[in-house]
Amino acid sequence: MAGMSLLRSAAVFAARLSPFKSLNKGSKNVSNLLTRTIPKTEQVAVRWGHGKQLFVVQPSRFYDSRFLRLLKYYFFLTGIPVAVIVTFINVFYGEAELAEIPEGYEPEYWEYYRHPITRFISRNVYDSPVKDYEKAMAAIQIEKEKADHRLAHLEVRRQMRQRGDGPWFHEQTVDKSLIDRRHKATPDA
Amino acid sequence: MPDNYDKDVYPEPPSRTPADNKQTSLPNPALILAKLFYYSVDLPVTKYREWVDSVQSGNKSVYYHQRFRRVPDLTDCEEGDYVCYYEADMQWKRDHKVDQEIIRVLQERMRACHVREGDNGYSQNCLKEVQDFKDASRGFQSRYGDLGGYADARKCLMKQKERMINGRNA
């Protein structure tokens, strides 16, 4: 017993002297003397650069990033062609310059605009402003005539009902040939 | 000025830029910065603009200022002639836009005068521009002011009627 404690204290002393050297086994093992086990720090899978690997529990970022990805995709799908086309037109065509109307010349209706894209749209897509003006005036004229007709109709009804000399407001009477006058043929019979 | 004035008191400006009279041998930082700005910003921008102009000069187009015929006013229209009302209304809208632009031009002139003269000389030298703008904006307010966003030729005429009634009563 006393010898065992002496051996133990000797082993502790030896371990304290060289704690990281395994005295009789392979280098992978922890010192397996009957003492406190001292872990060899170079054998554990730890890198001193970034710290210990952790599994951080966080909510999913999939939906947000999918939304932003799709947003950027659909925005640039037509945005880039439009930007390229507009840049091309502005660089290679350029805006028109103001000039006096020459004598005896009636400019086309698209020649009153400055930017080439506006001129294109006005020429190919829209009707001329004069035509739009005339269309509006035609609509107003038609509505005015309808309103006048309605007022005239009301006035005619009033007059015909009052005077009774027109084709309207006739009361239907029975046909003369259907009247039975036989009971009047013999008075005081 | 008369011909025989004292040339020392009113010296003529030099006809050419005077040559550099550098007193030190150190480089001039203002000159260095100016040259830096010139080569990094000014020159590329000018070259690009000249290239764009040379490309655009091939397909140049012109646009014109449209002139509209005068049509009868709202007061010259028969009652119930809605087409005449429409044409008068369109003419009034065009005149309204023109008046807005007139006010804007006068305001631009006043602002330019302010920038030219500075805050101190503004009250002395810009009186004409300021007076023009004030008169024009007073007229604009009395005719078009407070009509609202859906302003119409009829509403403007009614406002004129109110003005005339108030002027008659006053």
Side-chain angles (χ1 to χ4, degrees):
Chain A
M1 289 298 158
M4 285 294 283
S5 76
L6 188 64
L7 274 175
R8 179 176 292 182
S9 53
V12 166
F13 185 64
R16 201 185 294 164
L17 277 181
S18 56
F20 295 121
K21 216 167 28 162
S22 75
L23 298 170
N24 45 2
K25 288 283 171 65
S27 65
K28 268 289 202 185
N29 298 337
V30 176
S31 164
N32 50 4
L33 298 172
L34 295 172
T35 59
R36 294 169 290 154
T37 55
I38 297 142
K40 294 198 171 130
T41 50
E42 70 263 20
Q43 272 91 42
V44 173
V46 166
R47 299 284 171 265
W48 289 110
H50 294 269
K52 199 162 105 171
Q53 274 181 348
L54 301 171
F55 182 78
V56 179
V57 179
Q58 37 177 279
S60 165
R61 281 184 297 216
F62 171 73
Y63 300 100
D64 297 333
S65 47
R66 182 181 69 178
F67 170 71
L68 290 172
R69 189 164 44 87
L70 291 174
L71 183 75
K72 282 181 275 193
Y73 173 69
Y74 283 111
F75 182 77
F76 287 121
L77 187 64
T78 47
I80 288 182
V82 162
V84 164
I85 288 171
V86 171
T87 308
F88 182 84
I89 288 176
N90 278 325
V91 166
F92 289 99
Y93 282 93
E95 294 185 339
E97 282 169 351
L98 190 57
E100 285 294 325
I101 301 176
E103 285 295 326
Y105 175 65
E106 177 70 31
E108 302 283 346
Y109 62 96
W110 67 80
E111 289 177 359
Y112 290 114
Y113 301 103
R114 191 170 54 175
H115 197 267
I117 296 180
T118 319
R119 284 165 83 106
F120 177 83
I121 293 172
S122 172
R123 193 172 66 234
N124 295 92
V125 177
Y126 288 155
D127 284 328
S128 90
V130 176
K131 192 171 170 190
D132 283 337
Y133 194 83
E134 295 291 329
K135 282 195 296 201
M137 287 207 288
I140 289 169
Q141 179 69 20
I142 287 170
E143 290 300 314
K144 175 185 190 295
E145 282 172 5
K146 277 159 71 173
D148 287 342
H149 286 323
R150 287 184 192 120
L151 285 173
H153 186 86
L154 288 172
E155 184 61 27
V156 162
R157 273 173 68 100
R158 198 170 71 83
Q159 291 290 336
M160 284 205 194
R161 192 194 283 267
Q162 190 182 18
R163 293 180 191 169
D165 58 354
W168 297 355
F169 300 107
H170 288 186
E171 291 294 331
Q172 288 291 337
T173 50
V174 184
D175 192 9
K176 272 200 295 203
S177 57
L178 294 172
I179 300 175
D180 185 11
R181 293 199 176 90
R182 285 175 299 180
H183 64 281
K184 293 188 176 181
T186 57
D188 301 334
Chain B
M1 300 197 87
D3 287 331
N4 51 354
Y5 65 89
D6 194 349
K7 299 281 193 303
D8 292 325
V9 179
Y10 300 106
E12 281 189 2
S15 60
R16 302 176 59 181
T17 332
D20 246 354
N21 189 11
K22 277 181 71 162
Q23 306 278 3
T24 77
S25 60
L26 294 173
N28 186 0
L31 193 65
I32 292 175
L33 286 174
K35 285 230 170 295
L36 207 66
F37 179 78
Y38 174 74
Y39 284 111
S40 63
V41 174
D42 205 345
L43 199 62
V45 168
T46 316
K47 287 279 172 258
Y48 176 71
R49 182 70 217 172
E50 281 172 9
W51 174 73
V52 166
D53 277 340
S54 73
V55 166
Q56 283 185 1
S57 62
N59 26 10
K60 253 293 150 229
S61 51
V62 287
Y63 74 109
Y64 305 106
H65 175 73
Q66 189 162 18
R67 295 181 179 282
F68 292 92
R69 276 196 291 269
R70 297 302 292 184
V71 289
D73 269 341
L74 204 53
T75 47
D76 300 328
C77 284
E78 302 273 338
E79 178 163 350
D81 189 358
Y82 298 102
V83 176
C84 183
Y85 291 171
Y86 176 77
E87 288 202 87
D89 199 19
M90 288 292 119
Q91 183 177 258
W92 181 87
K93 283 199 165 87
R94 290 194 293 265
D95 291 341
H96 186 46
K97 264 196 168 299
V98 167
D99 285 335
Q100 283 172 338
E101 292 297 318
I102 289 173
I103 297 288
R104 192 171 297 164
V105 164
L106 290 172
Q107 196 183 22
E108 269 302 313
R109 281 189 198 163
M110 194 175 71
R111 276 193 191 148
C113 187
H114 192 149
V115 167
R116 267 202 314 272
E117 307 291 339
D119 289 322
N120 298 325
Y122 173 65
S123 47
Q124 295 162 3
N125 299 330
C126 290
L127 292 174
K128 195 171 86 62
E129 279 88 354
V130 170
Q131 195 54 41
D132 284 343
F133 176 71
K134 276 190 176 156
D135 294 337
S137 59
R138 195 177 302 125
F140 188 88
Q141 266 304 104
S142 82
R143 188 190 280 195
Y144 296 112
D146 296 327
L147 286 178
Y150 299 103
D152 206 357
R154 282 181 70 152
K155 288 183 186 172
C156 192
L157 188 64
M158 293 304 115
K159 190 176 177 203
Q160 185 187 19
K161 192 176 78 169
E162 278 290 319
R163 219 166 44 234
M164 290 162 85
I165 290 171
N166 293 339
R168 190 184 62 185
N169 289 344

